[in-house]
């Protein structure tokens, strides 16, 4: 809908549906060894995880907001692709912390966090539907949606993660 609201070509739409996933997979493959290399230099595991998670939340939100205000199809596709790609940094942030915080129960934590994480995925299309129903399928309605689901959600999430996460076994369950 967003690309249609911007009057994008079919080629841009096809590219926009493929590139973000390719970028995400590439970043997820590369970020683990990079995080390990940083930690091996003596950097705090907690600070590395916090920093990478902050990047994976704040940068995509900012890039999505920039995409919402973009005028050129190519620039919009590039911004969305980079945003989703950078989101892959969370593989060395939040995803890795589940194993470090509670190794014995990490599988249960992953399933619980994935369940909770589906809520925005369910709510976002409903909110966009409401916005587009009231404002029309316009660029402005998508700018509001990208602001809501970009920065408005990622800023509090980053603050909470950085305040409360520690890369240590919190339950003493290491064997």
């Amino acid at each position: 809908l967003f690309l249609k609201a911007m009057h994008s070509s079919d080629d841009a739409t096809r590219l926009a549906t493929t590139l973000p996933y390719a970028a995400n997979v590439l970043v997820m493959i590369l970020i683990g060894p990079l995080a390990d290399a940083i930690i091996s230099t003596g950097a705090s595991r907690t600070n590395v995880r916090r920093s990478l998670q902050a990047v994976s939340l704040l940068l995509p939100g900012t890039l999505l907001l920039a995409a919402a205000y973009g005028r050129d199809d190519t620039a919009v596709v590039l911004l969305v692709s980079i945003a989703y790609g950078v989101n892959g940094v969370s593989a060395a942030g939040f995803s890795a912390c589940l194993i470090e915080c509670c190794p014995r129960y990490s599988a249960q934590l992953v399933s619980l966090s994935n369940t909770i994480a589906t809520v925005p995925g369910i709510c976002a299309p409903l909110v966009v539907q409401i916005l587009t129903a009231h404002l029309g399928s316009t660029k402005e309605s998508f700018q509001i949606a990208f602001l809501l689901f970009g920065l408005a959600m990622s800023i509090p999430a980053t603050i909470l993660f950085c305040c409360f996460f520690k890369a240590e076994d919190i339950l003493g369950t290491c064997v």
Side-chain angles (χ1 to χ4, degrees):
L1 281 174
F2 174 68
L3 289 171
K4 285 184 180 183
M6 293 192 54
H7 308 292
S8 295
S9 67
D10 288 340
D11 288 339
T13 303
R14 280 192 287 278
L15 188 60
T17 59
T18 306
L19 269 181
Y21 296 102
N24 186 268
V25 168
L26 180 65
V27 169
M28 287 176 73
I29 290 169
L30 298 176
I31 197 62
L34 177 63
D36 289 344
I38 294 169
I39 292 167
S40 71
T41 65
S44 160
R45 184 179 304 269
T46 296
N47 289 339
V48 170
R49 300 288 183 232
R50 285 177 178 170
S51 299
L52 292 173
Q53 188 60 33
V55 167
S56 79
L57 287 168
L58 297 174
L59 188 55
T62 305
L63 291 170
L64 284 176
L65 193 57
Y69 287 91
R71 299 185 194 280
D72 178 54
D73 288 354
T74 305
V76 169
V77 169
L78 187 63
L79 288 170
V80 170
S81 297
I82 293 170
Y84 196 67
V86 171
N87 192 39
V89 171
S90 69
F94 175 76
S95 298
C97 87
L98 293 175
I99 296 169
E100 294 168 346
C101 288
C102 199
R104 183 172 290 164
Y105 302 105
S106 62
Q108 291 87 343
L109 280 176
V110 169
S111 65
L112 178 63
S113 69
N114 283 346
T115 301
I116 294 168
T118 60
V119 173
I122 294 167
C123 294
L126 298 173
V127 171
V128 171
Q129 180 183 12
I130 292 167
L131 282 171
T132 56
H134 291 295
L135 300 174
S137 198
T138 63
K139 191 172 182 179
E140 290 76 24
S141 63
F142 287 99
Q143 289 169 342
I144 294 168
F146 279 32
L147 177 62
L148 283 173
F149 296 107
L151 290 176
M153 289 182 70
S154 61
I155 291 171
T158 301
I159 292 168
L160 286 171
F161 186 84
C162 290
C163 286
F164 296 109
F165 168 72
K166 291 183 182 175
E168 56 192 49
D169 185 359
I170 59 174
L171 297 178
T173 59
C174 283
V175 178

